[in-house]
Amino acid sequence: MERSQALKRISELRDLIEYHNRRYYQLDDPEISDYDYDKLMQELAALEERFPDIDRSASPTQRVGASPLEKFGTVTHLTAMLSLGNAFSEDEVSEFDERIKRQLGDKAEIDFVTEPKIDGVAVNLIYEKGVFRVGATRGDGFTGEDVTQNLRTIRTLPLKMRPRDHHHVPDRIEIRGEVYLEKESFRKLNERRVEQGESAFANPRNAAAGSLRQLDPRITARRPLDLFCYGVGSIEGKSFTTHWDTLKTLGDWGLPTNPEIRLARNVRDCIGYWRHIESIRETLPYEIDGIVLKVNSLSLQDRLGMVSRSPRWAVAVKFAPTQATTFIEDIVIGVGRTGVLTPVAVMKPVRVGGVTVSRATLHNEDEIAKKDVRIGDTVIVQRAGDVIPEVVKVIESKRTGREKPFRMPEKCPVCGSKVVRLEGEVAHRCIDLACPAQIRENIRHFVSRGGMDIEGLGDKIVSQLLDAGLIRDPADLYALTKEQLLELDRFADKSAENLIAAIARSKHPPLERLLFALGIRHVGEYVAKILSKKCGSLGKIETASQEELTAIDGIGPTIAESIYRFFHEPHNLKILRKLEQAGIRPFVEKHATSTALAGKTFVFTGSLKGFSREKAKEIVVTLGGAATSTVSKKTDYVVAGEDPGSKFDKARSLGVAILDEEKFVKLIREADGKE
Ligand code: IVH
């Protein structure tokens, strides 16, 4: 691949991965499987390695995840929480082993500890003199959310270490582990949620993440979360020589460790272990997405060090995604919130990776054409441990000639309006805003967690309300009465009262949440936040011109046009007025109106210790400043972290003020104090 092509692909991959990072880490609502995500990361890392002169300081390979949400307190980890490189085949495992031997300059076989890779949520637990003090999520690897109260509800987490044989406990230790939910508990939890009209969690990992990040620890306590510890961060007043020893001692102190962990004498043992765990995968009570291999000797680990946020002494070895063969009975169309028509294969039910699937997404017309999928085809479907199954390929040898090619409909299957495919888009859309399918998805989005967050108003209830003709748009929710609900199936006195109360409680959302809830195209949670901070009121956004919107840092012409259009569409304005009349009064948080850094433009280069770059930018924006990516004469400050790039030199040559991290922190502290 040529450099210019590589540049293009790298930038594409970075955007794509950042997008999926937000879906996964911040929304707990991933759109692709971990396997596919890992593949994207691997492709990006490989390209970046091949073209080392391309600046990677802002690449997702340089960080572990997205920045934490604002609701919890934050905890800065004593040592950074790293992530793992991946291997997908025996060859890649052997390469990992050879790389290590090469680097150590020693051909001798290496001892590895082999562990299942638990598919849950990473946590960091701080124990002082044997007492559990603070626990946090991984966050961006440096700073996570303080979920101590929620962790305390986990029954297998010792609040006090229980040293066996009078083992000496360290003065202070960071213990790393994975919080998870057993498959059976997950099934029961979902069953209950669906019964109560709430939406089901997509998989145990999402359920664990959602439970751990509950603001109300009493809810967490009702979810049977569990924990496996697999490592140590910083440690004072004690040391270990091997990883095996570390794990054994953690166990002796009363911390839960995984019973499947083994010691391997060489790479062949590792591959054997991988096959073994894969064969017992379905029988394990928890979900795993691979195994982890770790060099046993801690002094060798030290010598090997790390590369781009992952240790060279460990690797995650993934399982092949689970596949099965089945038959396509029909192809139907689903209509989403923005009117996008998604073709879905209806298949003869088949068991894949332990669950029965009967539907698989075909994404769009181009994908169908590329794979040449027809009704009546025998196909291979894949479920990569989670989310939406997909059709991998058609088995052409099974064709009889009676298969029917699929054509996208010209009319929306739900409302009959015209379907269009816009320039430059792969998707077909129904453009009728009054399409019932769009209305339903719009309302679901409106009440969802990132939006108005109306508790107890799940998908089923939304459909029920629509079918009963009680609502036609989001604003109608606020006119519902208890009596109306009691007419419906599944509502009793208490549940009707609860829902009415939850709806009423949503009347004063933060402006950014209302903006997100409205479902304006291209306005996700991040853009909504910027808009809310910059404009400060719905009225200001409504009356802003496209030029004014584009002038806001972080909002490009496409987003600006979409916002402008939304607020000039009579149907939308009608709903906005209705919401106002219903008493919806969004508020803007105190910081949002800060002007302490107004007019000041910042550019970041190099990595900061105290926060992710995303977070630093957010702080600047919160204080009324702007964060851009290129240094010019107009730039007020360049903030230089560790290993700054070419922006540093440019700032120097232009005479732009350069701040190190300490000075930057001082500046924002002072700016914050001006409030
Ligand atoms: S070791 C430097 N061991 O996998 C080593 N991680 O990207 C860092 N995970 O979210 C991790 N089981 O929480 C390690 N036995 C295990 C694990 C494990 C699950 C998770 C970890 C992190 C991801 C690593």
Side-chain angles (χ1 to χ4, degrees):
M1 192 186 286
E2 274 173 33
R3 199 187 133 84
S4 64
Q5 264 177 307
L7 256 175
K8 192 156 160 262
R9 182 65 183 151
I10 285 178
S11 118
E12 248 173 33
L13 283 167
R14 286 179 181 170
D15 288 349
L16 199 60
I17 292 168
E18 289 294 2
Y19 170 74
H20 289 303
N21 270 347
R22 281 192 296 279
R23 303 238 32 132
Y24 183 109
Y25 286 104
Q26 299 204 321
L27 305 177
D28 285 334
D29 183 19
E31 280 178 354
I32 58 170
S33 66
D34 291 1
Y35 184 84
D36 287 339
Y37 176 87
D38 290 341
K39 281 245 145 131
L40 292 177
M41 271 304 238
Q42 218 193 13
E43 186 186 350
L44 177 59
L47 278 175
E48 287 179 347
E49 202 126 15
R50 256 184 73 190
F51 298 92
D53 60 325
I54 295 174
D55 179 14
R56 60 178 95 168
S57 52
S59 169
T61 55
Q62 306 301 302
R63 61 194 186 121
V64 195
S67 54
L69 301 172
E70 281 173 350
K71 301 177 200 163
F72 287 100
T74 53
V75 175
T76 301
H77 309 313
L78 303 176
T79 52
M81 290 179 81
L82 305 177
S83 69
L84 290 170
N86 291 309
F88 295 91
S89 62
E90 282 189 20
D91 283 351
E92 288 178 10
V93 174
S94 300
E95 276 166 31
F96 165 72
D97 179 57
E98 281 155 22
R99 218 166 30 239
I100 289 174
K101 287 178 181 158
R102 226 180 7 255
Q103 202 192 331
L104 296 174
D106 190 345
K107 292 210 180 75
E109 294 291 8
I110 311 262
D111 279 358
F112 291 98
V113 176
T114 57
E115 311 174 8
K117 184 166 184 292
I118 313 298
D119 201 7
V121 189
V123 290
N124 190 35
L125 312 169
I126 298 179
Y127 282 81
E128 281 170 359
K129 299 204 188 319
V131 180
F132 175 56
R133 293 284 181 209
V134 179
T137 59
R138 180 169 68 169
D140 62 7
F142 301 102
T143 307
E145 290 169 314
D146 183 341
V147 287
T148 311
Q149 291 303 338
N150 290 343
L151 285 167
R152 287 209 164 107
T153 69
I154 300 180
R155 273 143 287 231
T156 43
L157 181 150
L159 298 176
K160 208 164 172 225
M161 286 181 180
R162 300 182 293 262
R164 214 183 281 167
D165 306 334
H166 302 287
H167 256 303
H168 167 67
V169 301
D171 298 336
R172 180 152 74 160
I173 184 171
E174 280 186 308
I175 295 172
R176 305 275 154 87
E178 195 85 353
V179 167
Y180 66 95
L181 197 61
E182 288 201 343
K183 293 178 196 168
E184 183 57 18
S185 315
F186 162 73
R187 202 186 51 73
K188 282 198 193 130
L189 172 62
N190 262 355
E191 219 170 66
R192 220 171 41 230
R193 286 176 71 86
V194 171
E195 257 167 32
Q196 293 169 353
E198 293 172 78
S199 61
F201 285 111
N203 52 46
R205 182 180 45 68
N206 280 3
S211 307
L212 191 61
R213 288 166 45 189
Q214 273 294 335
L215 285 169
D216 182 352
R218 283 172 306 184
I219 297 179
T220 312
R222 275 187 253 128
R223 311 263 170 91
L225 290 174
D226 222 320
L227 169 75
F228 279 131
C229 296
Y230 56 69
V232 163
S234 83
I235 175 162
E236 290 161 29
K238 165 112 198 144
S239 65
F240 296 107
T241 52
T242 65
H243 181 57
W244 181 256
D245 225 27
T246 312
L247 293 179
K248 203 176 151 301
T249 310
L250 290 182
D252 287 344
W253 287 335
L255 291 143
T257 52
N258 189 295
E260 307 298 333
I261 294 178
R262 298 283 181 274
L263 193 57
R265 292 288 170 205
N266 53 46
V267 69
R268 284 182 307 285
D269 281 1
C270 293
I271 291 171
Y273 179 81
W274 179 30
R275 297 289 171 229
H276 162 67
I277 295 292
E278 188 167 23
S279 75
I280 62 163
R281 181 182 187 184
E282 293 305 327
T283 68
L284 294 173
Y286 43 82
E287 286 211 336
I288 58 174
D289 58 346
I291 60 160
V292 186
L293 307 179
K294 300 174 185 173
V295 169
N296 187 28
S297 153
L298 298 188
S299 62
L300 290 189
Q301 285 190 4
D302 260 357
R303 275 175 61 196
L304 289 162
M306 59 177 219
V307 56
S308 67
R309 316 231 54 73
S310 311
R312 285 207 191 82
W313 44 263
V315 71
V317 193
K318 299 300 183 79
F319 299 131
T322 343
Q323 299 189 333
T325 304
T326 185
F327 172 82
I328 296 192
E329 292 171 340
D330 198 3
I331 295 178
V332 298
I333 292 288
V335 184
R337 175 168 63 84
T338 52
V340 171
L341 270 55
T342 306
V344 176
V346 178
M347 309 171 301
K348 189 163 164 262
V350 63
R351 279 186 78 75
V352 193
V355 292
T356 304
V357 302
S358 58
R359 285 174 167 246
T361 176
L362 294 166
H363 303 291
N364 53 53
E365 189 178 41
D366 289 1
E367 276 287 312
I368 296 186
K370 202 168 92 196
K371 293 177 180 158
D372 188 22
V373 181
R374 305 179 191 176
I375 300 167
D377 264 334
T378 299
V379 293
I380 295 178
V381 285
Q382 159 172 310
R383 204 190 133 252
D386 50 13
V387 240
I388 320 156
E390 59 173 0
V391 170
V392 183
K393 67 173 199 171
V394 171
I395 305 180
E396 286 194 33
S397 58
K398 296 263 170 119
R399 285 230 164 118
T400 61
R402 289 192 297 276
E403 294 75 18
K404 274 203 311 223
F406 174 77
R407 297 255 327 256
M408 284 301 274
E410 281 164 19
K411 296 211 164 112
C412 171
V414 179
C415 72
S417 311
K418 207 172 134 218
V419 163
V420 295
R421 180 171 175 169
L422 300 176
E423 279 266 324
E425 282 196 6
V426 287
H428 284 70
R429 283 175 197 282
C430 161
I431 48 171
D432 184 358
L433 286 174
C435 170
Q438 287 189 51
I439 290 177
R440 188 178 62 221
E441 295 307 316
N442 249 315
I443 296 177
R444 284 179 177 174
H445 177 77
F446 184 81
V447 305
S448 70
R449 214 171 53 161
M452 304 296 269
D453 195 15
I454 303 180
E455 213 185 312
L457 192 43
D459 288 356
K460 285 235 170 85
I461 296 183
V462 170
S463 297
Q464 228 181 337
L465 294 171
L466 279 165
D467 294 345
L470 291 177
I471 55 172
R472 255 158 294 149
D473 60 52
D476 287 337
L477 289 168
Y478 296 93
L480 285 173
T481 62
K482 182 177 156 191
E483 288 67 34
Q484 285 175 321
L485 295 182
L486 285 173
E487 301 274 306
L488 304 175
D489 276 357
R490 293 194 306 170
F491 272 103
D493 226 43
K494 191 75 196 146
S495 50
E497 251 167 43
N498 285 348
L499 183 55
I500 298 290
I503 293 173
R505 273 199 307 274
S506 75
K507 284 188 175 176
H508 305 292
L511 177 58
E512 61 199 61
R513 289 246 303 276
L514 175 62
L515 283 170
F516 175 77
L518 291 174
I520 307 164
R521 275 189 77 196
H522 303 300
V523 180
E525 287 176 296
Y526 182 66
V527 172
K529 216 180 244 183
I530 298 181
L531 270 178
S532 146
K533 278 172 186 158
K534 283 290 172 173
C535 300
S537 76
L538 200 58
K540 283 239 176 71
I541 303 169
E542 220 179 296
T543 51
S545 68
Q546 276 195 60
E547 290 70 32
E548 284 166 327
L549 291 167
T550 317
I552 299 175
D553 194 55
I555 296 187
T558 316
I559 304 178
E561 187 190 335
S562 165
I563 298 167
Y564 183 83
R565 273 206 194 169
F566 181 92
F567 286 105
H568 286 80
E569 158 70 50
H571 172 77
N572 295 335
L573 291 176
K574 210 176 90 199
I575 291 178
L576 284 171
R577 296 296 85 82
K578 246 172 105 175
L579 285 170
E580 250 167 51
Q581 275 157 22
I584 309 303
R585 300 279 179 272
F587 68 91
V588 174
E589 280 165 41
K590 176 176 156 260
H591 274 330
T593 48
S594 171
T595 50
L597 293 179
K600 300 283 183 231
T601 306
F602 288 71
V603 174
F604 292 87
T605 176
S607 55
L608 300 174
K609 282 200 232 57
F611 17 61
S612 69
R613 192 176 290 188
E614 224 54 50
K615 185 77 199 169
K617 281 185 179 175
E618 198 181 303
I619 294 172
V620 166
V621 172
T622 317
L623 294 171
T628 62
S629 48
T630 34
V631 182
S632 74
K633 271 187 288 188
K634 283 193 269 170
T635 309
D636 293 287
Y637 299 106
V638 166
V639 179
E642 232 165 274
D643 296 330
S646 59
K647 289 173 194 164
F648 183 82
D649 303 324
K650 180 127 184 236
R652 268 207 168 150
S653 67
L654 291 175
V656 174
I658 298 177
L659 304 177
D660 60 15
E661 185 165 345
E662 205 176 304
K663 292 214 184 82
F664 171 65
V665 171
K666 195 157 165 250
L667 183 81
I668 54 178
R669 284 245 166 85
E670 283 168 1
D672 204 7
K674 273 194 207 160
E675 276 293 283

